Amino acid sequence: MTDSGEISTATLKRVERAAGGLATRAVSMMDERLPWFRTLPADQRSWVTLVAQAGISGYIPWARSRNADLRLTDTVFGTAPRDLLRVVSLRRTVELVRVAIDIAEEHIPALGATDAESTALRDSLLRYSREIAFAAATVYAAAAETRGAWDARVEAAVVDGIIRGEDAESLASRAAALGWDPSGPVLVVAGSAPLGGRISAIDAVTEWAKSSALTTVSGVQGSRLIIVLSAWNAAGSGVRGPQLPTGLESLFGGGPVVHGPISPGLAGAVSSAAAALAGLRVAGSWPGMPRPASSEDLLVERVLAGDRTAAAGLRTDVYAPLAAAATPLLETLDAYLAHGAALEPAARSLFVHPNTLRYRLHRIGDLTGRDPWNPRDVAVLRVAVILGRQERADSETST
């Protein structure tokens, strides 16, 4: 390649004098060729103009330095605010650079005093345009790394705040900084963190969320991985919980994975996280537990472990509807449980037809979301009745 030393000092001075006009022409050409450039506000257009001027003017010191030891990232891109990186994408920056280099290649070689100098200028500009492209890529890569590190810190702070039960307002400001909608329905999933460290675990969640078109924030808390899911289509959801996205369980290490209930907003995320972690703590007492499992399916275990929230949930969601029903559902349930969930003897003890008992049991299922023919749900119904009657007895005693 032609060495920049073949370009005389006088020619470089002519190029230097022409740089301002060439930059103005380049900006005018950007306005003509690039429709998106015309829509930029005045301040952002001025930033681009600064970069264009620096890009063309930067050729002179670059050529004089014989193409070495000159940081184009500072010389060219250091003239504009860092906000420009958020406004103009790397792809658009390449379009801008291409226009500026086209203008330079069209006019600068003609400033050579001889044909040899014109050729040297053209070859030198070719190398310079390559260096400008590398410098742009370096600037955007550094910005992406910085932004990624900042996002990771904010994301970790959001997850930590959810786990600790921070107020919704402080959580919302952090979540908004991540572009995360803090008002929609959310669900928290907890399990052991996979091998490989915190960064690889979070990266895996991010890649999975992108490929599944989901919105998540996640964090590693000690040995646990916490994932907060938001704005996904929970089609197929029912009383037993949502249909979770495919592949969610693969993000966790070995052992149980538990999700809390769907809850609205960041305040709901706090309660969903509390339920998920409470379920995770007692998951070892359920052999053969599905993965993932709902914290609602671990209510009995949570009650036995002293979880007052779980006990209150059973009283409110299971016992209270049965006690308030016009049909004697509590009496029906008592007989059904007393006879070991056997239909015929329970019906005889109540002096009703077995079909009547079946109807009542279906009503119990509809009201509570618990299946009287499912052994685990039978345990939930039994514990809920005990808790409800204990609370009623305590209330009567205190009065």
Side-chain angles (χ1 to χ4, degrees):
M1 286 189 175
T2 306
D3 191 276
S4 61
E6 297 179 22
I7 304 171
S8 67
T9 301
T11 296
L12 288 176
K13 286 183 177 179
R14 284 196 296 276
V15 174
E16 189 172 16
R17 288 194 294 271
L22 292 177
T24 301
R25 188 170 301 179
V27 172
S28 176
M29 189 60 67
M30 292 171 191
D31 199 60
E32 181 180 326
R33 291 186 188 177
L34 306 173
W36 61 265
F37 180 70
R38 295 193 293 271
T39 65
L40 291 179
D43 59 336
Q44 295 171 12
R45 287 169 61 91
S46 69
W47 296 346
V48 174
T49 301
L50 285 173
V51 172
Q53 290 173 341
I56 293 176
S57 301
Y59 169 72
I60 309 303
W62 181 85
R64 285 173 177 162
S65 69
R66 294 181 177 270
N67 317 342
D69 300 327
L70 188 65
R71 290 178 55 85
L72 292 179
T73 51
D74 296 332
T75 305
V76 177
F77 296 99
T79 58
R82 289 304 171 195
D83 286 345
L84 181 63
L85 300 178
R86 291 195 290 271
V87 172
V88 181
S89 66
L90 177 58
R91 179 181 61 80
R92 289 183 168 181
T93 298
V94 171
E95 292 177 353
L96 296 172
V97 169
R98 182 178 289 119
V99 171
I101 293 300
D102 285 348
I103 294 296
E105 289 180 339
E106 181 181 348
H107 296 280
I108 288 179
L111 298 175
T114 65
D115 290 344
E117 274 198 332
S118 295
T119 301
L121 284 168
R122 187 173 291 106
D123 290 344
S124 181
L125 279 170
L126 182 62
R127 294 198 302 277
Y128 180 67
S129 65
R130 181 188 64 187
E131 295 301 320
I132 286 288
F134 284 143
T138 299
V139 168
Y140 276 85
E145 289 177 357
T146 301
R147 185 167 57 252
W150 182 83
D151 285 352
R153 289 194 294 270
V154 175
E155 190 169 341
V158 170
V159 173
D160 183 64
I162 289 173
I163 298 302
R164 291 190 293 105
E166 280 188 22
D167 65 279
E169 284 191 15
S170 62
L171 286 173
S173 63
R174 294 184 203 145
L178 294 171
W180 194 63
D181 180 11
S183 61
V186 296
L187 174 144
V188 178
V189 191
S192 61
L195 299 176
R198 181 184 65 82
I199 295 176
S200 62
I202 300 306
D203 287 345
V205 174
T206 302
E207 289 301 314
W208 172 80
K210 286 181 180 178
S211 65
S212 304
L214 297 170
T215 302
T216 65
V217 292
S218 58
V220 174
Q221 300 271 322
S223 61
R224 303 172 307 195
L225 171 62
I226 311 295
I227 301 176
V228 185
L229 279 169
S230 174
W232 94 99
N233 179 16
S237 297
V239 294
R240 306 313 302 268
Q243 182 67 44
L244 295 180
T246 303
L248 176 63
E249 68 281 357
S250 65
L251 301 171
F252 295 87
V257 176
V258 180
H259 67 83
I262 295 179
S263 304
L266 286 169
V270 172
S271 61
S272 184
L277 291 173
L280 188 63
R281 283 192 290 270
V282 300
S285 59
W286 181 3
M289 187 186 80
R291 193 173 186 270
S294 170
S295 61
E296 298 298 296
D297 287 332
L298 288 155
L299 285 174
V300 171
E301 288 83 356
R302 289 166 56 190
V303 168
L304 293 175
D307 186 339
R308 294 184 177 181
T309 301
L314 286 180
R315 293 189 190 99
T316 302
D317 300 332
V318 178
Y319 177 78
L322 297 180
T327 307
L329 296 184
L330 273 180
E331 179 186 356
T332 300
L333 183 58
D334 284 339
Y336 183 66
L337 296 174
H339 289 85
L343 195 67
E344 297 287 346
R348 285 196 298 270
S349 71
L350 292 170
F351 303 103
V352 298
H353 193 278
N355 286 343
T356 301
L357 183 60
R358 285 192 185 92
Y359 168 77
R360 292 181 183 178
L361 292 174
H362 281 299
R363 285 286 298 140
I364 290 171
D366 292 340
L367 285 174
T368 64
R370 300 291 168 172
D371 182 358
W373 287 273
N374 180 292
R376 286 193 60 82
D377 281 353
V378 169
V380 171
L381 292 168
R382 187 186 296 276
V383 171
V385 170
I386 292 171
L387 290 171
R389 285 176 172 155
Q390 279 182 343
E391 183 180 53
R392 188 179 65 185
D394 290 344
S395 176
E396 290 173 353
T397 301
S398 62
T399 57

